[in-house]
């Protein structure tokens, strides 16, 4: 499974998540309105990764600790969003946590409660 498919599966496993192209890249939305993850396939550079919402301070901490894996993305970095490289060795358990945290930052409280209760998307 390629990096996009793995990322897609993580995003679509979250309650009321949809995918569509935004700015030419696969992007995941909560209730088809608010973006929480955007795939970045060589968007303004030669790297493969994604951009996502992040809790306050996380972007600065991860980029300072591990710039090989994390970066401040253009356009949304000033809002605290995190960039994650996918063209390096990737810990998919950590990526799942990052994606879930991004969802928690954007999703309404009712959907976060569903997530906490283990209620996923309809099968």
């Amino acid at each position: 499974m390629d990096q996009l498919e793995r990322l897609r599966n993580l995003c679509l496993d979250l309650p009321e998540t949809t995918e569509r192209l935004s700015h030419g890249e696969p992007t995941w939305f909560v209730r088809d309105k608010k973006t929480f993850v955007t795939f970045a396939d060589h968007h303004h550079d030669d790297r493969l990764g994604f951009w996502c919402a992040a809790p306050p301070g996380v972007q600065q901490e991860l980029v300072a600790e591990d710039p090989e894996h994390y970066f401040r993305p253009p356009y949304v970095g000033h809002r605290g969003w995190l960039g994650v490289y996918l063209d390096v060795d990737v810990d998919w358990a950590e990526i799942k946590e990052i994606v879930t945290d991004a969802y928690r930052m954007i999703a309404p409280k009712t959907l976060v409660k569903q997530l906490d209760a283990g209620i996923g998307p309809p099968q």
Side-chain angles (χ1 to χ4, degrees), residues 47-97:
R47 303 292 307 268
L48 178 68
F50 68 93
W51 308 347
C52 65
V58 168
Q59 176 209 89
Q60 294 85 348
E61 180 182 328
L62 290 178
V63 171
E65 275 180 19
D66 191 358
E68 180 183 332
H69 289 93
Y70 304 103
F71 63 99
R72 184 179 192 259
Y75 311 114
V76 293
H78 70 280
R79 294 187 353 224
W81 278 48
L82 177 65
V84 181
Y85 290 122
L86 293 174
D87 56 3
V88 294
D89 286 334
V90 175
D91 178 345
W92 284 98
E94 188 171 332
I95 298 298
K96 181 178 181 176
E97 286 181 32

Side-chain angles (χ1 to χ4, degrees), residues 97-110:
E97 286 181 32
I98 290 169
V99 166
T100 302
D101 286 346
Y103 178 87
R104 288 177 186 283
M105 292 295 300
I106 302 301
K109 290 178 186 175
T110 55

